[in-house]
Amino acid sequence: MEWLTSYESLSKFLNPSFLFGHDRNNDEASYYSALDMGCGSSSVGLNLARSKQYSYVLNVDNDPEVICTMKRRAEDTDLRNFECDYLMIDLNDERACRAGLYCKVHEDRKFDLVIDKSTLDCLLCSDSAHRLLVETYGCLRGGRGVYCLISFHSKDLIMDILQNNDALNWESIECFRIKREAETISGVKSDTSIPALQSLEPRCNVQIQEVCEISKSHSPPLKALGAWKDGLFEPCRAYATEVNVFICRKAHTEFDMTTKSIYAVGMRLKSHIHVCLDTWFKETNPMLSVKRESNIRQSFQSALSNKGYKKLHLKEVYKLLFEEDEKEHYSFEYFMDDWSEFICNHNDKDKVASHDHNETADVEIALKFLEAMQ
């Protein structure tokens, strides 16, 4: 099932003539190869093989049941001289990656195309996003390999992650915003028209383009506000109806594929991703939004009004700082661990020292804590 967007909506971006130009005759299309990173139950890889534009397609995922299901589906398809393999692999297992992530049809064992349908989006919520990017870059052919990333995330965030680091060297990156065409559980495509989108401004030397569906109505431009608002997850219309497609063309730079070198590259990239995420969410989705700060100040004032105190016990502070759904994942014990570290590392030592911070806190220091928690 294509929950993100359909193969048809992506087919023009996956066409070799679009990706690689016309340096090879159509009769030689069998030389092209593709790798689908985190394929899940998507049929993109199978459709690429069916299209006869790629002679070898490798689909990888870390879910054994999904891989078994997709293998059976491929076996029921007549691919003739075109091969479509499925492999269960854990990107955190470097030995498995070295043994399994290679192309059968090229002497250099590299792929012409790596497809990523929101796999990076998922891993940015974990601590493994750098592993995906390291393996992706290492699998691509130098000077012509293309990383096609389809993402819900903002263009600016993804650009910051892919650029401005010494681990990934892209010759060019293009960004296309497209209309999302997903499937429901019943297999029926969900298709919602959207008005013209705002133009994307070029960034540095990276080429930014835009492709979008234009509705027949003359609606005002759709402003991409993102899925977060006032610290809460509230998907806007753009989030539900569009995705970004990034076409990243690899430069000639290759990794030293020794374990020590890959580890060093991965650690640098991991640090870079953390900085990008921290900066992005502090600017676009601060945990301490204006609305939230106002609510917390009112709650503190209300709680203190009948007590004649300026400070609350930390158990009360915890209750006022966090929403109920946040408390489900962030217990009071975790809060106390973070609070102790915050107090020790806080720069404003004199102000912190004036508080009996082991048991109580006033609203100002509580807000400083929440701001530091971003």
Side-chain angles (χ1 to χ4, degrees), residues 9-16 18-20 54 112-116 140 144-151 158-159 162 170-178 206-209 211 244-250:
S9 68
L10 297 172
S11 59
K12 56 189 171 186
F13 300 107
L14 305 178
N15 191 306
F18 170 78
L19 293 176
F20 313 115
Y54 293 84
D112 296 291
L113 171 66
V114 174
I115 308 164
D116 174 350
L140 285 171
R144 67 168 297 110
V146 173
Y147 176 37
C148 179
L149 167 63
I150 301 95
S151 174
I158 296 299
M159 285 295 186
L162 295 178
W170 305 108
E171 184 175 289
S172 66
I173 302 177
E174 299 167 283
C175 177
F176 301 85
R177 189 179 297 168
I178 69 168
V206 178
Q207 183 181 7
I208 308 297
Q209 298 185 15
V211 175
N244 288 322
V245 179
F246 298 86
I247 303 296
C248 314
R249 291 183 167 84
K250 183 179 178 181

Side-chain angles (χ1 to χ4, degrees), residues 210-246:
E210 177 176 335
V211 175
C212 64
E213 297 286 339
I214 307 298
S215 66
K216 293 182 179 180
S217 63
H218 297 285
S219 303
L222 180 64
K223 186 176 181 181
L225 297 175
W228 294 87
K229 184 179 180 181
D230 293 329
L232 300 175
F233 183 70
E234 297 180 358
C236 64
R237 189 179 175 204
Y239 186 85
T241 58
E242 69 190 57
V243 290
N244 288 322
V245 179
F246 298 86

Side-chain angles (χ1 to χ4, degrees), residues 92 122-131 267 270 274:
N92 290 311
C122 296
L123 293 182
L124 286 176
C125 301
S126 70
D127 217 22
S128 302
H130 66 290
R131 291 291 315 150
M267 289 302 98
K270 181 178 181 179
H274 283 176

